[in-house]
């Protein structure tokens, strides 16, 4: 009884404070700020919302409000008004309480569409695994072709950048005639346009992405041509199989010097030898990367949202479906047919099974007879040509709302919904792996089942050891740090000599490796994001930023290595040179950019846009002032100080 009385007293006290605050607001604030802080007057047109605490609001009100006589609302009155404002309409929680509940359909974003199609393709092959070793597997033969008896050496080459000249490439392999076979995979970290460059003075053939897909064919050498370029869209977190056959043929005329290099131009980067951290020596399953250009998604909330549906997006999805249909007929259907070659079924029966399985995976669950008739049977009946039938079926499946809107199917089981959510969260994709599909089909992810939470947690842990999560992780961290991996960073060459494209590319590699270390470590101690006292560096970075790092391998000057720990100093991601270079101008540093970044991205606070844009004061016009003093001079106006009292000290 005493407890009930105390609770009632507290609630009554809170109600009285809100009533007092409401009365004071109505008397002194309503005329300017309007009902529920909606504004509307000439002086205060903006809505009264934000993320200041009650204490900060109290201080502002006591010092400045009401504008005509700030002494009218101080002390307990100021606090009562602050509590009323904060609770009723100012805070984010208050805004959420006021918002009417609505249901919005959310389609796949561009990233999710690319990843979903890649996994829909890979379902018919196999799932790649995360590898620790780096480089490409190499086999050296003392002959002009694959000959087991003439195999002299097998090893892992960390990069492909060899100039053998007229010398023997390795011991036991003669320069006059030899054959080298490299195999492995290219691991891509960020989605975007990549240019693959191969320089070869000898006969060479390169397969990429699929065992039958010849990207570059110089098997019959082109006279005088030694450089070959191909541009394509690649998807972050994916592994693309690579096979290179390099042959020095015996000839009566003078042999050309043997040279081969595998380079690339990544998004926003410059041409460089593909570094070892992006090469894997293990074979990777065949992979699909959508080449259709997709329109950008809405990022008004700071992340991609699939909210806009218009003609441009619809046309892009249709083009993507047609592209996927062509690949399904050429690569996926033969794979399925080969896998079921011992089945006594006729070709069309087998093809029906292929398209049904494709629809099952695309629609994130088994389809019923009516759905099969629409998406599979009718399309097979409409054409005797297998490729056209596959293209028709894929066009309907990929453009179907059941594929494009992951949460639309209300008939899905609880297990299906959980599996879909896991795949979207971890991979930006759909459930396509055999293991996850088995969990769903056996209803092991049903939230109503006993120990369901433990099974879901275990499934998530199993899914986390996957290269696709690597791409999702890097996208998350780069978004958080407001670093666009494809953005060009240019500085004044007179002031910052040596800050060029290759240096920026090494900075991206350094930051990527740092984030990867912390994310994939046994402890995954995220405090290391701020407290680590060493960095990843290259010879180029060491030369630009200073000495004191570990020795470099002279055979691989561009290899990432660990710098020596610097006790007492931290090299966390917030002070990483790549992050700092984004938060600065062409010629000067920018404390304001840094302060805004820390407030929004680290402290999670919001800031109103500045009243007007301005150009920073030129240091040459104020040679006697420090950077801090110039910033204080420029932002000293009372209107600026509302935000810059927070921004400047942090920056």
């Amino acid at each position: 009884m005493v407890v009930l009385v105390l609770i009632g007293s507290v609630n009554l006290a809170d109600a009285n404070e809100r009533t007092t605050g409401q009365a004071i607001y109505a008397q002194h604030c309503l005329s300017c700020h309007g009902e529920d802080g909606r504004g509307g007057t000439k002086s205060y047109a903006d809505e009264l919302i934000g993320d200041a605490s009650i204490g900060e609001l109290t201080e502002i009100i006591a010092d400045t409000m009401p504008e005509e006589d700030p002494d009218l609302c101080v002390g307990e009155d100021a606090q009562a008004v602050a509590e009323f404002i904060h609770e009723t309409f100012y805070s984010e929680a208050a805004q959420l309480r006021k918002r009417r509940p609505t249901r919005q359909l959310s389609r796949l974003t561009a990233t999710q569409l690319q990843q979903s199609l890649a996994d829909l393709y890979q379902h018919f092959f196999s799932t790649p695994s995360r590898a620790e070793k780096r480089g490409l597997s190499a086999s050296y033969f003392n002959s002009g072709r694959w000959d087991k008896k003439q195999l002299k050496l097998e090893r892992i080459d960390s990069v492909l950048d060899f100039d053998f000249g007229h010398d023997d490439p390795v011991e036991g392999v003669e320069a006059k005639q030899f054959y080298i076979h490299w195999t492995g995979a290219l691991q891509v970290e960020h989605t975007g346009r990549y240019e693959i460059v191969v320089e070869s003075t000898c006969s060479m053939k390169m397969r990429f992405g699929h065992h039958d897909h010849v990207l570059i064919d110089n098997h019959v050498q082109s006279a005088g041509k030694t450089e070959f370029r191909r541009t394509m869209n690649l998807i972050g977190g994916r592994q693309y199989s690579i096979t290179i056959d390099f042959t020095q043929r015996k000839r009566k005329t003078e042999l050309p010097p043997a040279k081969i290099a595998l380079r690339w131009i990544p998004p926003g980067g410059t041409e460089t030898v593909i570094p070892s951290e992006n090469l894997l020596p293990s074979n990777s399953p065949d992979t699909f990367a959508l080449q259709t250009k997709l329109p950008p998604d809405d990022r008004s909330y700071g992340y991609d949202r699939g909210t806009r549906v218009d003609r441009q997006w619809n046309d892009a999805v249709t083009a993507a479906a047609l592209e996927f249909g062509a690949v399904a007929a050429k690569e996926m259907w033969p794979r399925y047919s080969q896998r079921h070659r011992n089945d006594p079924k006729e070709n069309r029966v087998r093809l029906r099974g292929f398209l049904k399985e494709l629809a099952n995976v695309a629609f994130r669950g088994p389809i019923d007879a009516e759905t099969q008739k629409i998406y599979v049977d009718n399309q097979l009946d409409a054409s005797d040509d297998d490729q056209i039938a596959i293209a028709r079926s894929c066009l309907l499946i990929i453009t179907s709302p059941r594929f494009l809107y992951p949460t639309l199917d209300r008939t899905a089981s609880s297990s299906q919904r959980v599996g879909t959510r896991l795949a979207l969260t971890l991979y930006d994709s759909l459930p396509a792996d055999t293991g996850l599909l088995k969990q769903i089909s056996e209803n092991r992810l049903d939230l109503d089942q006993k120990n369901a939470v433990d099974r879901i947690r275990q499934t998530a842990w199993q899914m986390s050891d996957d290269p696709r999560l690597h791409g999702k992780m890097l996208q998350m961290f780069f978004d958080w740090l407001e670093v666009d991996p494809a953005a060009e960073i240019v500085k004044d060459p007179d002031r910052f000599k040596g800050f060029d494209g290759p240096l920026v590319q090494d900075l991206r590699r350094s930051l990527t490796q740092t984030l990867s270390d912390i994310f994939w470590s046994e402890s995954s101690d995220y405090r290391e994001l701020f407290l680590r006292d060493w960095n990843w560096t290259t010879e180029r970075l060491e030369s630009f930023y200073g000495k004191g790092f570990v020795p470099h391998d002279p055979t691989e000057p561009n290899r990432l290595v660990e710098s020596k720990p610097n006790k007492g100093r931290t090299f966390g991601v917030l002070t990483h040179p790549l992050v700092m270079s984004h938060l600065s101008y062409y010629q000067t540093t920018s404390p304001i950019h840094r302060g805004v970044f820390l407030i929004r991205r680290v402290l999670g606070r919001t800031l109103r846009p500045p009243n007007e844009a301005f150009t920073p004061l030129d240091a040459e016009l104020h040679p006697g002032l420090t950077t801090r003093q110039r910033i204080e001079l420029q932002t000293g106006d009372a209107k600026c100080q509302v935000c810059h009292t927070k921004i400047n000290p942090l920056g």
Side-chain angles (χ1 to χ4, degrees):
M1 186 64 152
V2 174
V3 174
L4 290 175
V5 170
L6 287 174
I7 293 175
S9 300
V10 171
N11 289 338
L12 183 60
D14 289 346
N16 288 335
E17 288 176 5
R18 283 197 297 271
T19 302
T20 302
Q22 183 176 10
I24 297 173
Y25 179 86
Q27 182 178 359
H28 297 296
C29 314
L30 182 64
S31 59
C32 291
H33 291 288
E35 191 75 29
D36 286 342
R38 287 194 293 265
T41 64
K42 186 175 181 180
S43 301
Y44 297 93
D46 294 335
E47 190 174 0
L48 191 57
I49 58 175
D51 63 355
S53 67
I54 293 177
E56 289 172 322
L57 283 176
T58 301
E59 186 175 341
I60 293 171
I61 292 170
D63 290 343
T64 64
M65 297 293 162
E67 199 172 58
E68 64 275 7
D69 189 357
D71 293 334
L72 287 177
C73 189
V74 296
E76 293 182 357
D77 288 349
Q79 182 172 349
V81 175
E83 289 175 352
F84 166 73
I85 289 172
H86 195 275
E87 175 71 17
T88 309
F89 51 77
Y90 177 83
S91 66
E92 184 178 1
Q95 290 294 311
L96 289 173
R97 285 194 298 271
K98 289 171 56 180
R99 192 175 302 162
R100 291 183 178 181
T102 58
R103 175 177 292 175
Q104 287 184 317
L105 290 177
S106 181
R107 61 161 173 82
L108 294 176
T109 64
T111 296
Q112 291 168 347
L113 179 61
Q114 293 179 83
Q115 295 284 9
S116 296
L117 290 177
D119 278 331
L120 184 57
Y121 174 96
Q122 207 140 43
H123 168 80
F124 292 89
F125 295 88
S126 59
T127 303
S129 57
R130 199 164 63 87
E132 297 298 332
K133 294 182 179 180
R134 291 295 183 264
L136 292 178
S137 298
S139 301
Y140 290 77
F141 297 85
N142 189 35
S143 65
R145 59 186 176 83
W146 184 286
D147 185 348
K148 265 192 173 182
K149 294 180 181 179
Q150 295 298 323
L151 177 60
K152 299 300 180 181
L153 177 65
E154 288 183 311
R155 70 182 186 188
I156 294 177
D157 290 332
S158 57
V159 296
L160 260 63
D161 188 19
F162 296 105
D163 188 355
F164 301 119
H166 293 98
D167 299 329
D168 297 345
V170 294
E171 186 177 353
V173 176
E174 298 180 7
K176 62 182 180 181
Q177 178 179 257
F178 62 86
Y179 166 67
I180 308 175
H181 179 76
W182 284 287
T183 184
L186 174 68
Q187 179 164 301
V188 174
E189 292 153 345
H190 305 286
T191 299
R193 301 294 292 178
Y194 289 77
E195 186 172 7
I196 306 298
V197 183
V198 178
E199 182 183 359
S200 174
T201 58
C202 299
S203 171
M204 181 273 301
K205 182 180 286 188
M206 178 182 182
R207 293 176 176 85
F208 187 87
H210 185 273
H211 64 280
D212 284 337
H213 181 209
V214 179
L215 184 68
I216 299 171
D217 189 352
N218 192 42
H219 181 66
V220 178
Q221 286 177 263
S222 303
K225 186 169 184 180
T226 60
E227 190 174 270
F228 308 88
R229 297 173 178 270
R230 300 291 185 272
T231 302
M232 67 193 79
N233 184 63
L234 300 178
I235 304 173
R238 295 281 166 179
Q239 298 174 0
Y240 297 89
S241 61
I242 292 178
T243 302
I244 297 178
D245 298 303
F246 182 72
T247 308
Q248 176 69 289
R249 293 193 180 96
K250 185 185 293 185
R251 61 183 70 188
K252 295 179 181 179
T253 57
E254 183 181 356
L255 286 172
K259 181 178 182 180
I260 185 168
L262 177 61
R263 301 191 290 266
W264 69 354
I265 303 178
T270 58
E271 186 171 324
T272 184
V273 172
I274 297 180
S276 57
E277 64 261 26
N278 293 101
L279 297 175
L280 308 176
S282 55
N283 288 323
S284 180
D286 295 338
T287 315
F288 169 74
L290 184 69
Q291 300 304 304
T292 298
K293 187 176 181 180
L294 302 172
D297 291 305
D298 172 38
R299 285 190 63 86
S300 59
Y301 279 61
Y303 56 90
D304 289 342
R305 297 193 306 151
T307 55
R308 190 178 70 246
V309 179
D310 53 22
R311 180 64 178 270
Q312 185 184 14
W313 182 76
N314 184 70
D315 289 348
V317 171
T318 301
L322 292 172
E323 179 187 336
F324 186 84
V327 172
K330 184 179 179 181
E331 300 173 10
M332 296 165 61
W333 161 234
R335 170 73 173 182
Y336 180 92
S337 184
Q338 182 185 23
R339 209 170 65 200
H340 294 80
R341 62 183 178 274
N342 296 325
D343 292 357
K345 299 173 182 176
E346 296 179 1
N347 177 66
R348 277 276 154 153
V349 176
R350 195 180 301 161
L351 181 55
R352 197 180 306 274
F354 165 68
L355 292 175
K356 181 180 178 181
E357 184 172 341
L358 192 148
N360 284 338
V361 178
F363 292 164
R364 304 169 184 86
I367 59 175
D368 55 28
E370 183 180 353
T371 303
Q372 179 178 330
K373 183 174 177 59
I374 296 171
Y375 291 93
V376 178
D377 298 341
N378 290 349
Q379 309 318 311
L380 287 172
D381 295 341
S383 177
D384 293 331
D385 186 301
D386 289 351
Q387 292 194 359
I388 294 178
I390 292 172
R392 289 174 61 100
S393 183
C394 287
L395 179 60
L396 284 182
I397 290 171
I398 302 306
T399 58
S400 167
R402 290 190 59 176
F403 172 73
L404 294 174
Y405 295 83
T407 59
L408 185 64
D409 188 1
R410 297 299 171 187
T411 65
S413 67
S414 173
S415 193
Q416 284 177 249
R417 288 195 295 271
V418 170
T420 296
R421 183 63 60 86
L422 284 173
L424 275 172
T425 301
L426 297 178
Y427 305 152
D428 272 331
S429 187
L430 45 70
D433 302 346
T434 304
L436 181 57
L437 290 172
K438 184 179 180 182
Q439 293 271 67
I440 294 172
S441 65
E442 294 176 353
N443 215 34
R444 293 179 57 79
L445 303 180
D446 187 350
L447 290 170
D448 295 329
Q449 298 290 332
K450 186 178 180 181
N451 299 324
V453 174
D454 292 335
R455 282 197 297 274
I456 294 170
R457 184 180 290 112
Q458 183 181 9
T459 301
W461 273 114
Q462 292 170 348
M463 294 172 65
S464 66
D465 192 26
D466 191 288
R468 288 170 292 179
L469 184 59
H470 184 79
K472 181 73 180 284
M473 174 273 295
L474 288 177
Q475 181 186 1
M476 177 189 74
F477 277 119
F478 271 71
D479 276 352
W480 169 55
L481 295 171
E482 290 190 326
V483 174
D484 182 354
E488 183 181 15
I489 306 175
V490 180
K491 302 298 176 186
D492 187 343
D494 294 329
R495 295 194 178 192
F496 307 104
K497 188 176 182 179
F499 193 98
D500 52 15
L503 182 85
V504 172
Q505 197 154 289
D506 280 359
L507 288 176
R508 290 193 185 103
R509 292 170 60 200
S510 171
L511 179 60
T512 295
Q513 191 63 44
T514 297
L515 295 171
S516 299
D517 284 347
I518 295 170
F519 184 82
W520 290 111
S521 69
E522 290 295 325
S523 62
S524 287
D525 188 347
Y526 279 15
R527 289 174 295 186
E528 288 294 297
L529 289 169
F530 311 104
L531 301 179
R532 177 174 282 196
D533 62 355
W534 60 274
N535 236 326
W536 286 96
T537 185
T538 64
E539 186 176 357
R540 187 183 289 112
L541 293 177
E542 176 185 355
S543 175
F544 186 82
Y545 286 103
K547 301 290 183 181
F549 300 124
V550 298
H552 294 280
D553 183 348
T555 63
E556 290 188 57
N558 291 324
R559 185 171 186 174
L560 281 173
V561 293
E562 299 176 18
S563 65
K564 292 179 180 178
N566 193 325
K567 303 301 181 184
R569 291 189 63 190
T570 59
F571 297 100
V573 296
L574 298 184
T575 56
H576 192 280
L578 182 65
V579 177
M580 297 292 281
S581 64
H582 270 273
L583 301 174
S584 61
Y585 292 107
Y586 175 69
Q587 292 182 322
T588 63
T589 184
S590 177
I592 293 177
H593 280 88
R594 295 199 298 267
V596 170
F597 165 77
L598 289 172
I599 288 175
R600 288 176 172 167
R601 294 293 180 167
V602 179
L603 301 180
R605 304 289 295 274
T606 59
L607 288 170
R608 291 186 179 183
N611 294 326
E612 56 186 28
F614 61 86
T615 303
L617 296 176
D618 192 337
E620 295 181 359
L621 298 178
H622 302 273
L625 299 182
T626 64
T627 300
R628 180 189 295 270
Q629 289 169 337
R630 288 199 309 274
I631 296 297
E632 290 175 349
L633 175 64
Q634 185 149 27
T635 61
D637 188 272
K639 293 181 179 178
C640 299
Q641 283 296 296
V642 174
C643 291
H644 281 276
T645 52
K646 308 171 188 175
I647 295 171
N648 293 359
L650 288 173

